[in-house]
């Protein structure tokens, strides 16, 4: 059965079709949530809430992107909202006046593992961590990240540039970056 047919059945509240979509995407969405939350129980909760939200809002799905991409956006937003709710206090910083400059070239030593890079990303300040993770790990572009995080396009570019710079410094401190 084609995915479009399954989604159409879900729009008619077909429980078997919903279970089929759930089975198809639950593991992948769990990994997405885990990259943000680092806690399997929280990730499971977020995935469950995301599927509930997706099935409640499935009539808003227009098929412009794959169902998986649409669902992934819900999981990412729910994960970020969860993390924000856990923060004691956040201070908004107006970065709209800042201008992004071109990124310099840098490379990472071939011996560096994905875990080392992910740990370094997790060590970044929250405002940079989300942008860097959404861009480098999840593959979103600046426009999509701006929409997800509700920030301007220029703020997104600035945060990505600064976040990548801090990531480079973290890796350099641990002797993983070569070059300048």
């Amino acid at each position: 059965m084609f995915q479009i047919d399954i989604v159409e059945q879900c729009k008619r509240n077909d429980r078997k079709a919903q279970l089929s979509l759930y089975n198809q995407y639950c593991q992948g969405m769990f990994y997405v949530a885990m990259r943000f939350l680092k806690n399997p129980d929280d990730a499971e909760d977020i995935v469950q809430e995301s599927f509930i939200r997706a099935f409640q809002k499935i009539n808003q799905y227009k098929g412009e992107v794959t169902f998986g991409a649409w669902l992934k956006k819900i999981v990412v937003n729910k994960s970020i909202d969860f993390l924000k709710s856990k923060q004691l206090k956040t201070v908004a910083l107006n970065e709209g006046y800042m201008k992004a400059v071109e990124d310099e070239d840098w490379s990472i030593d071939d011996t560096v593992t994905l875990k080392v890079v992910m740990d370094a990303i997790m060590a970044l300040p929250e405002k940079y961590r989300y942008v860097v993770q959404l861009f480098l790990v999840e593959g979103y572009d600046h426009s999509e990240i701006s929409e997800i995080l509700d920030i301007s396009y220029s703020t997104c570019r600035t945060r990505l540039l600064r976040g990548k710079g801090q990531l480079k410094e973290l890796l350099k401190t641990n002797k993983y970056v070569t070059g300048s």
Side-chain angles (χ1 to χ4, degrees), residues 41-171:
D41 294 328
D42 292 340
E44 284 179 16
D45 290 344
I46 292 302
V47 169
Q48 293 300 321
E49 290 174 23
S50 297
F51 272 100
I52 290 168
R53 168 72 101 190
F55 292 137
Q56 288 172 339
K57 304 288 185 180
I58 199 155
N59 286 322
Q60 294 177 3
Y61 174 69
K62 303 298 181 202
E64 296 163 350
V65 296
T66 65
F67 180 81
W70 185 74
L71 180 61
K72 181 179 179 180
K73 187 173 180 180
I74 294 171
V75 172
V76 167
N77 283 326
K78 286 262 183 211
S79 297
I80 290 172
D81 289 345
F82 177 82
L83 290 171
K84 285 180 179 178
S85 73
K86 293 290 184 185
Q87 298 297 320
L88 297 176
K89 187 175 183 182
T90 59
V91 177
L93 176 63
N94 182 0
E95 294 177 279
Y97 66 90
M98 297 177 195
K99 183 176 184 252
V101 295
E102 290 302 312
D103 197 5
E104 61 187 59
D105 289 331
W106 57 286
S107 58
I108 298 175
D109 190 301
D110 290 338
T111 62
V112 69
T113 64
L114 178 61
K115 180 177 179 354
V116 170
V117 175
M118 289 303 295
D119 289 346
I121 290 173
M122 293 311 294
L124 294 172
E126 178 182 297
K127 66 182 177 181
Y128 301 137
R129 178 178 54 225
Y130 294 152
V131 175
V132 169
Q133 186 169 352
L134 288 170
F135 187 83
L136 295 179
V137 180
E138 304 302 332
Y140 287 106
D141 64 25
H142 292 293
S143 298
E144 294 168 321
I145 295 169
S146 300
E147 185 180 325
I148 289 169
L149 298 178
D150 195 25
I151 58 176
S152 71
Y153 184 87
S154 62
T155 298
C156 176
R157 288 181 50 87
T158 300
R159 288 184 183 180
L160 179 62
L161 179 67
R162 290 180 176 190
K164 284 170 57 178
Q166 286 189 15
L167 179 61
K168 177 182 175 181
E169 288 303 314
L170 285 170
L171 293 171

Side-chain angles (χ1 to χ4, degrees), residues 24-55:
Q24 183 177 353
Y25 289 104
C26 70
Q27 185 175 9
M29 295 303 123
F30 174 78
Y31 291 129
V32 169
M34 276 296 292
R35 286 193 293 265
F36 282 89
L37 305 175
K38 307 294 184 220
N39 179 304
D41 294 328
D42 292 340
E44 284 179 16
D45 290 344
I46 292 302
V47 169
Q48 293 300 321
E49 290 174 23
S50 297
F51 272 100
I52 290 168
R53 168 72 101 190
F55 292 137

